[in-house]
Amino acid sequence: MRIICISDTHGQHHSLQLPQGDILIHAGDISTLGKAEEIEDFLTWYSQLPHPYKLFIGGNHDFYLEKEPELFELMVPKNCIYLNDSMVEVEGIKIWGSPVTPFYHNWAFNRYPGDDIRKHWKLISEDTDIVVTHGPPAGILDMTVREIAVGDEDLRKKITYIRPKYHIFGHIHEQYGQIEQEGTTYINASYLDIRYRPSHPPVVIEYEKSVTGSR
């Protein structure tokens, strides 16, 4: 399976050059201001892409998804899969996604440290193959331009415990890249740089399923 990873397009999705693949994953911040018209434009574009499976989550800029969840759900095209603290199984690959990030200036899907955010990570099944969150785990591709690490510690503990094959996220534009630790490949797939300029290509995963299962 060929998986294409993107994140943090912030309304600039039309400039993306996407390679072919089986599964397309967007790790949030599909908009800039989180307005309904921005979301609708993204969904129209996303639904027309040729990838057989199109998954996405929200991000801290995507206010409409959190403020009007029922109306938003009606907007999602049938050929797109929206993950919100939920899992989908695609061709035997279990993918779980969440838009939640640590609290910062009251953005969308913000949660306070402790039980407020930890309850979301408790929902991640131990047999998950790919975890998609908008924000990074603590200490992994989470350093801002001001040299402040902003990843979530409880998310790091959960990922370290269940050890999925991949953890895909974005949020910190300046930390685009990949790193492998203890059997998990962490991918920051941010499309835009710190100045919101299109700068980073989509990340391509050649996913090999094992004989005994997806992992």
Side-chain angles (χ1 to χ4, degrees), residues 3-55:
I3 303 174
I4 312 302
C5 310
I6 55 176
S7 187
D8 295 83
T9 49
H10 291 282
Q12 300 190 52
H13 42 268
H14 292 290
S15 65
L16 263 169
Q17 298 296 317
L18 289 170
Q20 294 181 345
D22 303 295
I23 303 174
L24 177 61
I25 296 176
H26 193 304
D29 275 358
I30 62 179
S31 68
T32 299
L33 301 176
K35 295 183 177 180
E37 55 267 31
E38 293 180 274
I39 305 303
E40 184 175 13
D41 180 70
F42 170 82
L43 291 174
T44 299
W45 169 80
Y46 207 60
S47 67
Q48 294 172 353
L49 296 173
H51 306 76
Y53 300 99
K54 294 175 276 285
L55 286 61

Side-chain angles (χ1 to χ4, degrees), residues 55 57 83-89 93-100 119-125 128-133 155 159 162 166-168:
L55 286 61
I57 63 172
L83 297 177
N84 182 10
D85 286 351
S86 56
M87 175 188 284
V88 65
E89 186 168 339
I93 303 172
K94 295 181 179 180
I95 305 171
W96 188 93
S98 174
V100 167
K119 65 185 179 184
H120 295 275
W121 313 142
K122 287 181 178 179
L123 299 174
I124 307 175
S125 174
T128 303
D129 300 300
I130 299 175
V131 174
V132 185
T133 57
L155 178 58
I159 297 298
I162 68 173
Y166 294 93
H167 181 192
I168 301 163

Side-chain angles (χ1 to χ4, degrees), residues 3 10 34 36-37 63 95 107 123 156 158 174 188 203 207:
I3 303 174
H10 291 282
E37 55 267 31
F63 289 100
I95 305 171
W107 289 87
L123 299 174
R156 174 67 182 273
K158 182 69 175 191
E174 56 269 46
N188 182 324
V203 176
Y207 193 103

Side-chain angles (χ1 to χ4, degrees), residues 74-209:
L74 294 174
M75 293 171 61
V76 179
K78 292 183 179 179
N79 67 343
C80 298
I81 300 170
Y82 171 56
L83 297 177
N84 182 10
D85 286 351
S86 56
M87 175 188 284
V88 65
E89 186 168 339
V90 178
E91 302 286 341
I93 303 172
K94 295 181 179 180
I95 305 171
W96 188 93
S98 174
V100 167
T101 52
F103 193 91
Y104 180 74
H105 289 317
N106 202 29
W107 289 87
F109 298 108
N110 275 189
R111 301 293 183 268
Y112 287 104
D115 289 340
D116 192 37
I117 197 167
R118 193 181 300 123
K119 65 185 179 184
H120 295 275
W121 313 142
K122 287 181 178 179
L123 299 174
I124 307 175
S125 174
E126 292 184 20
D127 61 350
T128 303
D129 300 300
I130 299 175
V131 174
V132 185
T133 57
H134 182 57
I140 304 288
L141 302 172
D142 69 335
M143 190 71 69
T144 70
V145 69
R146 296 180 180 179
E147 298 188 354
I148 301 173
V150 296
D152 185 65
E153 183 62 38
D154 285 306
L155 178 58
R156 174 67 182 273
K157 290 177 181 178
K158 182 69 175 191
I159 297 298
T160 301
Y161 175 67
I162 68 173
R163 296 189 181 183
K165 290 193 70 172
Y166 294 93
H167 181 192
I168 301 163
F169 49 90
H171 192 40
I172 310 304
H173 298 191
E174 56 269 46
Q175 286 280 272
Y176 169 88
Q178 304 182 49
I179 187 172
E180 192 275 333
Q181 288 189 10
E182 299 181 336
T184 297
T185 299
Y186 298 86
I187 298 172
N188 182 324
S190 296
Y191 175 49
L192 306 185
D193 66 12
I194 188 62
R195 296 184 179 180
Y196 284 67
R197 299 173 300 193
S199 300
H200 308 132
V203 176
V204 178
I205 296 172
E206 298 293 348
Y207 193 103
E208 296 184 6
K209 292 185 287 183

